[in-house]
Amino acid sequence: MPEIFVLAEHRQGQIRDITYEMLTKAREIAEKANLMLTAVILGKEVKEKAKTLAEYAKKVLVVEDAKLENFNSDAYQKVLVNLMKEYKPTLTLIGHTSYGIELAPRLAAALNMPLATDCIDLALEGDTLTVTRQMYGGKVNVNATLRKAESYMVTVRQAAFTTQKPVTPLNGEIIEKPSLLTEEITTKRFIQYILPPPGGVDITAAEKLVGIGRGIKDQSNIPLIEDFAKTIGAVLACSRPIVDKGWLPNDRQVGSSGKTVKPKLYIALGISGAFQHVLGMKNSDLIIAINKDPNAPIFSFSDYGVVEDLFKIIPSLKNKIYELKGQKA
Amino acid sequence: MDIVVCVKHVPETAEAELKIDASGKGIEKSGLVFYINEWDDYALEEAVRIKEKFGGTVTAITVGAEDSDSTLRKCLARGADKAIRLTDPKFAGSDGYATAKILYSVIKNLHYDLVLTGMQAGDDGYAMVGPILAEMLGIPHTTMAKKIELEAGVAKVNRELEGGLEEQLEIKLPALISVQTGINEPCYVSIMGIRKAMQKEINVMTLADTGLSEADMGETGSWLKIEKLYVPPAEKQTEFLKGTPDEVAAKVAEILKARGFI
Ligand SMILES: Cc1cc2nc3c(=O)[nH]c(=O)nc-3n(C[C@H](O)[C@H](O)[C@H](O)COP(=O)(O)OP(=O)(O)OC[C@H]3O[C@@H](n4cnc5c(N)ncnc54)[C@H](O)[C@@H]3O)c2cc1C
């Protein structure tokens, strides 16, 4: 029976959410196209984890090897090339994560297998695979088809699908496979994890956040925004470019490579709303965005939108707040 | 240390109004300002810094139309020694895979210890050219680099994982590394640099110089075929507040008060 492979992603003993998100989507595709749903997990001691995956898949391939202790795309590629040549999955799903970005394109090239990256949706009809992905920082969606092939690979964006546990566990059969790795991988070697420096400010604990993005234009404008934030007792957070430029420390960054926040109030100032940012704040209770571009993706995630130059709004808004508080600015 | 840096000339779209073109498969490019892809800007800076420390050369290479020269000139002004532009109408419609093939056809004949790319381009966001190119070149690779330290025969690289975590890896040279934003602080171009860059030549190559066939590139040589572009549906029903800046500010303040934030 033709199958769908879902590569389980795990780190420091934890299966990562993207795995279950992919298994959920793969289950839907497998049922429609009558494919075997197979989870694949590589690691040092991962048999226990395979049991959890078996609730979500009809089959689990487990490859255990001490050489697979830490993620190493070169080791993964060697193992997966063998497995994929043996099982010839119609479709292989890998997370569009730091691990997947390192692994999938090179693996696809080695197998000469068409790959679509960072997909937010996909559908298999007959032997045609159609995907949806985004371009231009999320301003445009694209439907695309992959070049006709017997096997396809797709990397899936985080949080594109919502995990749903099967109503009854699928009780997938767990099959152990040898890694066939004969020697240490010397081209690439994992040394250590590096933890973010302990931060002074915990933005995840704040009830109100004012997030600033590249639209604030210059570091010298930050005090103006800080003053405004103080009027409502909000903490300053930011998008990635603000940290990249060194304008704010990285403990203030909201998004996939920063913090996930869920405050009661998030005011986004001059933030375009790229998916990596939105991932970190879209579950805030109330979102107000001020952006001069009416088509900025951030508005699609906001409760209230203001299409205007933020520098025209903020000073006035500060005064209005003082008025409502009955204080003098 | 000879370094090849792959760069792409892309439109600035964060602040621009985008219009889907008549074909429905692209955006209207006229009126957009093009510049060096954000990630490549960091890659170029990293290359120049490594050259300053260890000596050697930096070659900037791009697949793009003639107007990519402004991006290559910027690379030259910032310290690249050579620039190569691969231009051919047949290259149009290439995805990351086809682009990697085109880059490979030229880079394989250059001397390099390190190939640097941005981890993705801001326009189509494939994040695939670097690793595919490494596979074709048969050299080790890593992606999303936030720090690169070179030692005898190896590169120690801090690569970004999610949520602020990083991992440190060691890869053997020659290698390909794709860099993430924030790895350094790109410098501004000096007037001196611009003057010098004007004197340097941009080496232009076409399909004939690549040794590839037409079938290797463009839509036929790609993995992905774009069918349709459209504006993403909104996840939330957004209420837009309208009026003069003062009126809008008043409305925002009222909302904040009504919700108990003031
Ligand atoms: C692997 C990876 C991880 C990433 N992780 C993160 C992350 O954790 N967090 C994150 O934020 N990003 C992250 N990014 C980057 C992300 O893709 C975007 O590039 C980034 O979020 C853009 O930041 P921005 O909105 O501030 O800037 P831009 O996209 O440049 O947007 C600036 C906005 O400001 C508006 N503007 C300009 N001037 C004004 C004005 N005067 N008044 C009002 N509005 C104005 C513009 O219209 C525009 O919408 C990541 C990217 C990658 C590839």
Side-chain angles (χ1 to χ4, degrees), chain A residues 213-215 217 239-241 253-258 270-272 274 276-277 291-293 308-310, chain B residues 14-15 120 144 180:
Chain A
R214 191 137 50 188
K217 289 288 179 303
S239 68
R240 175 169 186 137
Q253 184 186 319
V254 171
S256 61
S257 55
I271 292 177
S272 63
Q276 291 94 347
H277 186 80
N291 194 306
K292 64 179 185 185
D293 173 10
E308 186 56 87
D309 181 346
L310 71 96
Chain B
E15 300 195 15
Q120 66 173 26
M144 301 176 79
Q180 172 63 308

PDB file of all heavy atoms in Angstrom, chain A residues 213-215 217 239-241 253-258 270-272 274 276-277 291-293 308-310, chain B residues 14-15 120 144 180, ligand 1:
ATOM      1  N   GLY A 213       7.880  47.647  15.523  1.00  0.00           N
ATOM      2  CA  GLY A 213       8.532  47.000  14.395  1.00  0.00           C
ATOM      3  C   GLY A 213       9.370  48.000  13.627  1.00  0.00           C
ATOM      4  O   GLY A 213       9.587  49.135  14.064  1.00  0.00           O
ATOM      5  N   ARG A 214       9.818  47.571  12.469  1.00  0.00           N
ATOM      6  CA  ARG A 214      10.716  48.384  11.645  1.00  0.00           C
ATOM      7  C   ARG A 214      10.109  49.750  11.316  1.00  0.00           C
ATOM      8  O   ARG A 214      10.823  50.687  11.003  1.00  0.00           O
ATOM      9  CB  ARG A 214      11.052  47.606  10.372  1.00  0.00           C
ATOM     10  CG  ARG A 214      12.153  48.173   9.552  1.00  0.00           C
ATOM     11  CD  ARG A 214      13.133  47.134   9.034  1.00  0.00           C
ATOM     12  NE  ARG A 214      12.450  46.022   8.383  1.00  0.00           N
ATOM     13  CZ  ARG A 214      13.083  44.919   7.979  1.00  0.00           C
ATOM     14  NH1 ARG A 214      14.384  44.804   8.127  1.00  0.00           N
ATOM     15  NH2 ARG A 214      12.416  43.938   7.414  1.00  0.00           N
ATOM     16  N   GLY A 215       8.772  49.829  11.381  1.00  0.00           N
ATOM     17  CA  GLY A 215       8.087  51.095  11.111  1.00  0.00           C
ATOM     18  C   GLY A 215       8.441  52.213  12.079  1.00  0.00           C
ATOM     19  O   GLY A 215       8.109  53.365  11.827  1.00  0.00           O
ATOM     20  N   LYS A 217      11.301  53.184  12.491  1.00  0.00           N
ATOM     21  CA  LYS A 217      12.327  53.849  11.679  1.00  0.00           C
ATOM     22  C   LYS A 217      13.692  54.055  12.337  1.00  0.00           C
ATOM     23  O   LYS A 217      14.713  53.810  11.726  1.00  0.00           O
ATOM     24  CB  LYS A 217      11.829  55.217  11.160  1.00  0.00           C
ATOM     25  CG  LYS A 217      10.766  55.111  10.103  1.00  0.00           C
ATOM     26  CD  LYS A 217      11.363  54.626   8.804  1.00  0.00           C
ATOM     27  CE  LYS A 217      10.404  54.461   7.664  1.00  0.00           C
ATOM     28  NZ  LYS A 217       9.277  53.610   7.805  1.00  0.00           N
ATOM     29  N   SER A 239       9.442  43.315  17.130  1.00  0.00           N
ATOM     30  CA  SER A 239       9.650  42.322  16.086  1.00  0.00           C
ATOM     31  C   SER A 239      11.159  42.086  15.960  1.00  0.00           C
ATOM     32  O   SER A 239      11.969  42.810  16.528  1.00  0.00           O
ATOM     33  CB  SER A 239       9.076  42.812  14.754  1.00  0.00           C
ATOM     34  OG  SER A 239       9.844  43.910  14.286  1.00  0.00           O
ATOM     35  N   ARG A 240      11.498  41.103  15.181  1.00  0.00           N
ATOM     36  CA  ARG A 240      12.896  40.668  15.080  1.00  0.00           C
ATOM     37  C   ARG A 240      13.882  41.731  14.572  1.00  0.00           C
ATOM     38  O   ARG A 240      14.989  41.850  15.100  1.00  0.00           O
ATOM     39  CB  ARG A 240      12.945  39.426  14.197  1.00  0.00           C
ATOM     40  CG  ARG A 240      14.338  38.973  13.944  1.00  0.00           C
ATOM     41  CD  ARG A 240      14.373  37.609  13.308  1.00  0.00           C
ATOM     42  NE  ARG A 240      15.771  37.233  13.251  1.00  0.00           N
ATOM     43  CZ  ARG A 240      16.226  36.052  13.539  1.00  0.00           C
ATOM     44  NH1 ARG A 240      15.398  35.102  13.880  1.00  0.00           N
ATOM     45  NH2 ARG A 240      17.504  35.795  13.469  1.00  0.00           N
ATOM     46  N   PRO A 241      13.522  42.495  13.514  1.00  0.00           N
ATOM     47  CA  PRO A 241      14.515  43.468  13.016  1.00  0.00           C
ATOM     48  C   PRO A 241      15.003  44.441  14.093  1.00  0.00           C
ATOM     49  O   PRO A 241      16.142  44.895  14.049  1.00  0.00           O
ATOM     50  CB  PRO A 241      13.761  44.209  11.905  1.00  0.00           C
ATOM     51  CG  PRO A 241      12.737  43.237  11.419  1.00  0.00           C
ATOM     52  CD  PRO A 241      12.315  42.474  12.644  1.00  0.00           C
ATOM     53  N   GLN A 253      11.838  40.175  22.049  1.00  0.00           N
ATOM     54  CA  GLN A 253      11.358  39.756  20.725  1.00  0.00           C
ATOM     55  C   GLN A 253      10.189  38.789  20.794  1.00  0.00           C
ATOM     56  O   GLN A 253      10.244  37.756  21.458  1.00  0.00           O
ATOM     57  CB  GLN A 253      12.501  39.113  19.943  1.00  0.00           C
ATOM     58  CG  GLN A 253      12.098  38.749  18.510  1.00  0.00           C
ATOM     59  CD  GLN A 253      13.191  37.989  17.797  1.00  0.00           C
ATOM     60  OE1 GLN A 253      14.372  38.314  17.932  1.00  0.00           O
ATOM     61  NE2 GLN A 253      12.811  36.969  17.046  1.00  0.00           N
ATOM     62  N   VAL A 254       9.145  39.130  20.047  1.00  0.00           N
ATOM     63  CA  VAL A 254       7.963  38.276  19.939  1.00  0.00           C
ATOM     64  C   VAL A 254       8.036  37.503  18.634  1.00  0.00           C
ATOM     65  O   VAL A 254       8.359  38.071  17.596  1.00  0.00           O
ATOM     66  CB  VAL A 254       6.683  39.146  19.957  1.00  0.00           C
ATOM     67  CG1 VAL A 254       5.447  38.317  19.636  1.00  0.00           C
ATOM     68  CG2 VAL A 254       6.535  39.853  21.291  1.00  0.00           C
ATOM     69  N   GLY A 255       7.764  36.199  18.675  1.00  0.00           N
ATOM     70  CA  GLY A 255       7.709  35.440  17.433  1.00  0.00           C
ATOM     71  C   GLY A 255       8.344  34.079  17.545  1.00  0.00           C
ATOM     72  O   GLY A 255       8.764  33.661  18.623  1.00  0.00           O
ATOM     73  N   SER A 256       8.419  33.402  16.385  1.00  0.00           N
ATOM     74  CA  SER A 256       8.863  32.009  16.382  1.00  0.00           C
ATOM     75  C   SER A 256      10.272  31.850  16.923  1.00  0.00           C
ATOM     76  O   SER A 256      10.588  30.864  17.574  1.00  0.00           O
ATOM     77  CB  SER A 256       8.767  31.424  14.979  1.00  0.00           C
ATOM     78  OG  SER A 256       9.594  32.151  14.092  1.00  0.00           O
ATOM     79  N   SER A 257      11.137  32.812  16.675  1.00  0.00           N
ATOM     80  CA  SER A 257      12.493  32.707  17.215  1.00  0.00           C
ATOM     81  C   SER A 257      12.647  33.560  18.467  1.00  0.00           C
ATOM     82  O   SER A 257      13.752  33.741  18.970  1.00  0.00           O
ATOM     83  CB  SER A 257      13.530  33.081  16.155  1.00  0.00           C
ATOM     84  OG  SER A 257      13.275  34.360  15.627  1.00  0.00           O
ATOM     85  N   GLY A 258      11.540  34.092  18.951  1.00  0.00           N
ATOM     86  CA  GLY A 258      11.552  34.834  20.206  1.00  0.00           C
ATOM     87  C   GLY A 258      10.557  34.223  21.170  1.00  0.00           C
ATOM     88  O   GLY A 258      10.518  33.010  21.329  1.00  0.00           O
ATOM     89  N   GLY A 270       3.819  49.682  13.584  1.00  0.00           N
ATOM     90  CA  GLY A 270       4.795  49.561  12.504  1.00  0.00           C
ATOM     91  C   GLY A 270       5.354  48.164  12.365  1.00  0.00           C
ATOM     92  O   GLY A 270       6.525  47.978  12.102  1.00  0.00           O
ATOM     93  N   ILE A 271       4.470  47.175  12.567  1.00  0.00           N
ATOM     94  CA  ILE A 271       4.840  45.761  12.383  1.00  0.00           C
ATOM     95  C   ILE A 271       4.023  45.233  11.211  1.00  0.00           C
ATOM     96  O   ILE A 271       2.800  45.382  11.191  1.00  0.00           O
ATOM     97  CB  ILE A 271       4.554  44.948  13.663  1.00  0.00           C
ATOM     98  CG1 ILE A 271       5.506  45.387  14.787  1.00  0.00           C
ATOM     99  CG2 ILE A 271       4.658  43.451  13.405  1.00  0.00           C
ATOM    100  CD1 ILE A 271       5.263  44.706  16.125  1.00  0.00           C
ATOM    101  N   SER A 272       4.683  44.611  10.222  1.00  0.00           N
ATOM    102  CA  SER A 272       3.957  44.201   9.014  1.00  0.00           C
ATOM    103  C   SER A 272       3.078  42.980   9.261  1.00  0.00           C
ATOM    104  O   SER A 272       2.070  42.801   8.609  1.00  0.00           O
ATOM    105  CB  SER A 272       4.933  43.928   7.873  1.00  0.00           C
ATOM    106  OG  SER A 272       5.790  42.852   8.186  1.00  0.00           O
ATOM    107  N   ALA A 274       4.467  39.567   9.560  1.00  0.00           N
ATOM    108  CA  ALA A 274       5.010  38.331   8.980  1.00  0.00           C
ATOM    109  C   ALA A 274       4.624  37.167   9.891  1.00  0.00           C
ATOM    110  O   ALA A 274       4.513  37.337  11.108  1.00  0.00           O
ATOM    111  CB  ALA A 274       6.532  38.425   8.863  1.00  0.00           C
ATOM    112  N   GLN A 276       6.142  34.720  11.133  1.00  0.00           N
ATOM    113  CA  GLN A 276       7.004  34.394  12.272  1.00  0.00           C
ATOM    114  C   GLN A 276       6.713  35.304  13.464  1.00  0.00           C
ATOM    115  O   GLN A 276       6.922  34.911  14.601  1.00  0.00           O
ATOM    116  CB  GLN A 276       8.489  34.509  11.902  1.00  0.00           C
ATOM    117  CG  GLN A 276       8.972  33.459  10.932  1.00  0.00           C
ATOM    118  CD  GLN A 276       8.912  33.928   9.506  1.00  0.00           C
ATOM    119  OE1 GLN A 276       8.307  34.941   9.197  1.00  0.00           O
ATOM    120  NE2 GLN A 276       9.554  33.182   8.616  1.00  0.00           N
ATOM    121  N   HIS A 277       6.278  36.517  13.203  1.00  0.00           N
ATOM    122  CA  HIS A 277       5.906  37.405  14.297  1.00  0.00           C
ATOM    123  C   HIS A 277       4.522  37.036  14.838  1.00  0.00           C
ATOM    124  O   HIS A 277       4.328  36.893  16.043  1.00  0.00           O
ATOM    125  CB  HIS A 277       5.921  38.871  13.850  1.00  0.00           C
ATOM    126  CG  HIS A 277       5.672  39.825  14.982  1.00  0.00           C
ATOM    127  ND1 HIS A 277       6.657  40.184  15.861  1.00  0.00           N
ATOM    128  CD2 HIS A 277       4.534  40.425  15.420  1.00  0.00           C
ATOM    129  CE1 HIS A 277       6.139  40.986  16.785  1.00  0.00           C
ATOM    130  NE2 HIS A 277       4.856  41.155  16.535  1.00  0.00           N
ATOM    131  N   ASN A 291      -0.624  50.803  11.381  1.00  0.00           N
ATOM    132  CA  ASN A 291       0.320  50.599  10.288  1.00  0.00           C
ATOM    133  C   ASN A 291      -0.133  51.466   9.123  1.00  0.00           C
ATOM    134  O   ASN A 291      -1.327  51.548   8.838  1.00  0.00           O
ATOM    135  CB  ASN A 291       0.321  49.122   9.874  1.00  0.00           C
ATOM    136  CG  ASN A 291       1.507  48.789   8.987  1.00  0.00           C
ATOM    137  OD1 ASN A 291       1.744  49.424   7.967  1.00  0.00           O
ATOM    138  ND2 ASN A 291       2.262  47.780   9.388  1.00  0.00           N
ATOM    139  N   LYS A 292       0.799  52.097   8.447  1.00  0.00           N
ATOM    140  CA  LYS A 292       0.363  53.002   7.376  1.00  0.00           C
ATOM    141  C   LYS A 292       0.002  52.266   6.087  1.00  0.00           C
ATOM    142  O   LYS A 292      -0.567  52.851   5.184  1.00  0.00           O
ATOM    143  CB  LYS A 292       1.432  54.074   7.118  1.00  0.00           C
ATOM    144  CG  LYS A 292       2.747  53.559   6.616  1.00  0.00           C
ATOM    145  CD  LYS A 292       3.710  54.715   6.378  1.00  0.00           C
ATOM    146  CE  LYS A 292       4.984  54.192   5.760  1.00  0.00           C
ATOM    147  NZ  LYS A 292       6.005  55.201   5.592  1.00  0.00           N
ATOM    148  N   ASP A 293       0.304  50.955   6.029  1.00  0.00           N
ATOM    149  CA  ASP A 293      -0.018  50.179   4.834  1.00  0.00           C
ATOM    150  C   ASP A 293      -1.340  49.434   5.042  1.00  0.00           C
ATOM    151  O   ASP A 293      -1.431  48.526   5.862  1.00  0.00           O
ATOM    152  CB  ASP A 293       1.121  49.183   4.576  1.00  0.00           C
ATOM    153  CG  ASP A 293       0.799  48.213   3.449  1.00  0.00           C
ATOM    154  OD1 ASP A 293      -0.210  48.415   2.744  1.00  0.00           O
ATOM    155  OD2 ASP A 293       1.572  47.249   3.274  1.00  0.00           O
ATOM    156  N   GLU A 308      -2.572  54.428   9.375  1.00  0.00           N
ATOM    157  CA  GLU A 308      -2.061  55.791   9.543  1.00  0.00           C
ATOM    158  C   GLU A 308      -0.603  55.739   9.960  1.00  0.00           C
ATOM    159  O   GLU A 308      -0.118  54.706  10.442  1.00  0.00           O
ATOM    160  CB  GLU A 308      -2.912  56.502  10.623  1.00  0.00           C
ATOM    161  CG  GLU A 308      -2.638  57.973  10.841  1.00  0.00           C
ATOM    162  CD  GLU A 308      -2.769  58.821   9.590  1.00  0.00           C
ATOM    163  OE1 GLU A 308      -3.902  59.273   9.284  1.00  0.00           O
ATOM    164  OE2 GLU A 308      -1.742  59.019   8.924  1.00  0.00           O
ATOM    165  N   ASP A 309       0.076  56.843   9.757  1.00  0.00           N
ATOM    166  CA  ASP A 309       1.443  57.003  10.239  1.00  0.00           C
ATOM    167  C   ASP A 309       1.421  56.965  11.766  1.00  0.00           C
ATOM    168  O   ASP A 309       0.728  57.770  12.400  1.00  0.00           O
ATOM    169  CB  ASP A 309       1.968  58.355   9.738  1.00  0.00           C
ATOM    170  CG  ASP A 309       3.397  58.629  10.163  1.00  0.00           C
ATOM    171  OD1 ASP A 309       3.907  57.926  11.062  1.00  0.00           O
ATOM    172  OD2 ASP A 309       3.993  59.553   9.595  1.00  0.00           O
ATOM    173  N   LEU A 310       2.138  56.043  12.346  1.00  0.00           N
ATOM    174  CA  LEU A 310       2.065  55.876  13.801  1.00  0.00           C
ATOM    175  C   LEU A 310       2.527  57.124  14.540  1.00  0.00           C
ATOM    176  O   LEU A 310       2.064  57.404  15.647  1.00  0.00           O
ATOM    177  CB  LEU A 310       2.874  54.648  14.236  1.00  0.00           C
ATOM    178  CG  LEU A 310       4.397  54.677  14.185  1.00  0.00           C
ATOM    179  CD1 LEU A 310       4.979  55.053  15.553  1.00  0.00           C
ATOM    180  CD2 LEU A 310       4.940  53.314  13.790  1.00  0.00           C
TER     181      LEU A 310
ATOM    182  N   ALA B  14       7.526  45.267   2.030  1.00  0.00           N
ATOM    183  CA  ALA B  14       6.876  45.427   3.347  1.00  0.00           C
ATOM    184  C   ALA B  14       6.026  46.691   3.371  1.00  0.00           C
ATOM    185  O   ALA B  14       4.965  46.722   3.970  1.00  0.00           O
ATOM    186  CB  ALA B  14       7.903  45.455   4.461  1.00  0.00           C
ATOM    187  N   GLU B  15       6.500  47.735   2.721  1.00  0.00           N
ATOM    188  CA  GLU B  15       5.772  49.001   2.784  1.00  0.00           C
ATOM    189  C   GLU B  15       5.075  49.354   1.482  1.00  0.00           C
ATOM    190  O   GLU B  15       4.360  50.333   1.404  1.00  0.00           O
ATOM    191  CB  GLU B  15       6.738  50.133   3.185  1.00  0.00           C
ATOM    192  CG  GLU B  15       7.351  49.872   4.539  1.00  0.00           C
ATOM    193  CD  GLU B  15       8.012  51.084   5.151  1.00  0.00           C
ATOM    194  OE1 GLU B  15       7.773  52.203   4.676  1.00  0.00           O
ATOM    195  OE2 GLU B  15       8.766  50.895   6.108  1.00  0.00           O
ATOM    196  N   GLN B 120      17.160  32.585   3.305  1.00  0.00           N
ATOM    197  CA  GLN B 120      16.014  32.600   2.404  1.00  0.00           C
ATOM    198  C   GLN B 120      15.979  33.949   1.711  1.00  0.00           C
ATOM    199  O   GLN B 120      16.701  34.859   2.090  1.00  0.00           O
ATOM    200  CB  GLN B 120      14.711  32.355   3.159  1.00  0.00           C
ATOM    201  CG  GLN B 120      14.353  33.471   4.140  1.00  0.00           C
ATOM    202  CD  GLN B 120      12.958  33.282   4.745  1.00  0.00           C
ATOM    203  OE1 GLN B 120      12.449  32.190   4.840  1.00  0.00           O
ATOM    204  NE2 GLN B 120      12.348  34.381   5.135  1.00  0.00           N
ATOM    205  N   MET B 144      20.849  28.876   8.783  1.00  0.00           N
ATOM    206  CA  MET B 144      20.390  29.747   9.870  1.00  0.00           C
ATOM    207  C   MET B 144      21.504  30.095  10.852  1.00  0.00           C
ATOM    208  O   MET B 144      21.306  30.080  12.070  1.00  0.00           O
ATOM    209  CB  MET B 144      19.210  29.098  10.597  1.00  0.00           C
ATOM    210  CG  MET B 144      18.055  28.837   9.652  1.00  0.00           C
ATOM    211  SD  MET B 144      16.686  27.985  10.414  1.00  0.00           S
ATOM    212  CE  MET B 144      15.910  29.324  11.274  1.00  0.00           C
ATOM    213  N   GLN B 180      21.423  33.747   8.915  1.00  0.00           N
ATOM    214  CA  GLN B 180      20.186  34.311   9.427  1.00  0.00           C
ATOM    215  C   GLN B 180      20.446  35.783   9.763  1.00  0.00           C
ATOM    216  O   GLN B 180      21.591  36.168  10.058  1.00  0.00           O
ATOM    217  CB  GLN B 180      19.756  33.483  10.654  1.00  0.00           C
ATOM    218  CG  GLN B 180      18.589  34.007  11.459  1.00  0.00           C
ATOM    219  CD  GLN B 180      17.275  34.069  10.701  1.00  0.00           C
ATOM    220  OE1 GLN B 180      17.214  34.635   9.605  1.00  0.00           O
ATOM    221  NE2 GLN B 180      16.222  33.537  11.280  1.00  0.00           N
TER     222      GLN B 180
HETATM  223  C1  LIG C   1      13.461  31.568  10.606  1.00  0.00           C
HETATM  224  C2  LIG C   1      12.929  32.933  10.854  1.00  0.00           C
HETATM  225  C3  LIG C   1      12.547  33.285  12.127  1.00  0.00           C
HETATM  226  C4  LIG C   1      12.008  34.546  12.383  1.00  0.00           C
HETATM  227  N1  LIG C   1      11.605  34.854  13.645  1.00  0.00           N
HETATM  228  C5  LIG C   1      10.989  36.025  13.881  1.00  0.00           C
HETATM  229  C6  LIG C   1      10.470  36.347  15.179  1.00  0.00           C
HETATM  230  O1  LIG C   1      10.591  35.577  16.136  1.00  0.00           O
HETATM  231  N2  LIG C   1       9.855  37.534  15.340  1.00  0.00           N
HETATM  232  C7  LIG C   1       9.690  38.437  14.323  1.00  0.00           C
HETATM  233  O2  LIG C   1       9.115  39.503  14.555  1.00  0.00           O
HETATM  234  N3  LIG C   1      10.181  38.165  13.099  1.00  0.00           N
HETATM  235  C8  LIG C   1      10.826  36.997  12.851  1.00  0.00           C
HETATM  236  N4  LIG C   1      11.320  36.741  11.606  1.00  0.00           N
HETATM  237  C9  LIG C   1      11.333  37.825  10.602  1.00  0.00           C
HETATM  238  C10 LIG C   1      10.007  38.019   9.895  1.00  0.00           C
HETATM  239  O3  LIG C   1       9.948  37.170   8.780  1.00  0.00           O
HETATM  240  C11 LIG C   1       9.876  39.474   9.402  1.00  0.00           C
HETATM  241  O4  LIG C   1      10.974  39.788   8.581  1.00  0.00           O
HETATM  242  C12 LIG C   1       9.787  40.485  10.543  1.00  0.00           C
HETATM  243  O5  LIG C   1       8.829  40.076  11.487  1.00  0.00           O
HETATM  244  C13 LIG C   1       9.445  41.844  10.000  1.00  0.00           C
HETATM  245  O6  LIG C   1       9.485  42.789  11.045  1.00  0.00           O
HETATM  246  P1  LIG C   1       8.660  44.141  10.936  1.00  0.00           P
HETATM  247  O7  LIG C   1       7.227  43.862  10.772  1.00  0.00           O
HETATM  248  O8  LIG C   1       9.068  44.965  12.109  1.00  0.00           O
HETATM  249  O9  LIG C   1       9.294  44.843   9.658  1.00  0.00           O
HETATM  250  P2  LIG C   1       8.716  45.027   8.181  1.00  0.00           P
HETATM  251  O10 LIG C   1       8.209  43.762   7.638  1.00  0.00           O
HETATM  252  O11 LIG C   1       9.739  45.787   7.433  1.00  0.00           O
HETATM  253  O12 LIG C   1       7.442  45.947   8.383  1.00  0.00           O
HETATM  254  C14 LIG C   1       7.477  47.271   8.777  1.00  0.00           C
HETATM  255  C15 LIG C   1       6.048  47.762   8.798  1.00  0.00           C
HETATM  256  O13 LIG C   1       5.996  49.085   9.314  1.00  0.00           O
HETATM  257  C16 LIG C   1       5.051  49.838   8.597  1.00  0.00           C
HETATM  258  N5  LIG C   1       5.424  51.242   8.748  1.00  0.00           N
HETATM  259  C17 LIG C   1       6.522  51.871   8.287  1.00  0.00           C
HETATM  260  N6  LIG C   1       6.533  53.155   8.678  1.00  0.00           N
HETATM  261  C18 LIG C   1       5.417  53.354   9.400  1.00  0.00           C
HETATM  262  C19 LIG C   1       4.852  54.476  10.076  1.00  0.00           C
HETATM  263  N7  LIG C   1       5.463  55.668  10.096  1.00  0.00           N
HETATM  264  N8  LIG C   1       3.679  54.324  10.707  1.00  0.00           N
HETATM  265  C20 LIG C   1       3.031  53.128  10.706  1.00  0.00           C
HETATM  266  N9  LIG C   1       3.518  52.033  10.090  1.00  0.00           N
HETATM  267  C21 LIG C   1       4.699  52.140   9.445  1.00  0.00           C
HETATM  268  C22 LIG C   1       5.148  49.320   7.182  1.00  0.00           C
HETATM  269  O14 LIG C   1       3.967  49.572   6.452  1.00  0.00           O
HETATM  270  C23 LIG C   1       5.395  47.821   7.416  1.00  0.00           C
HETATM  271  O15 LIG C   1       4.183  47.105   7.437  1.00  0.00           O
HETATM  272  C24 LIG C   1      11.870  35.483  11.334  1.00  0.00           C
HETATM  273  C25 LIG C   1      12.264  35.127  10.048  1.00  0.00           C
HETATM  274  C26 LIG C   1      12.787  33.869   9.800  1.00  0.00           C
HETATM  275  C27 LIG C   1      13.175  33.506   8.411  1.00  0.00           C
END
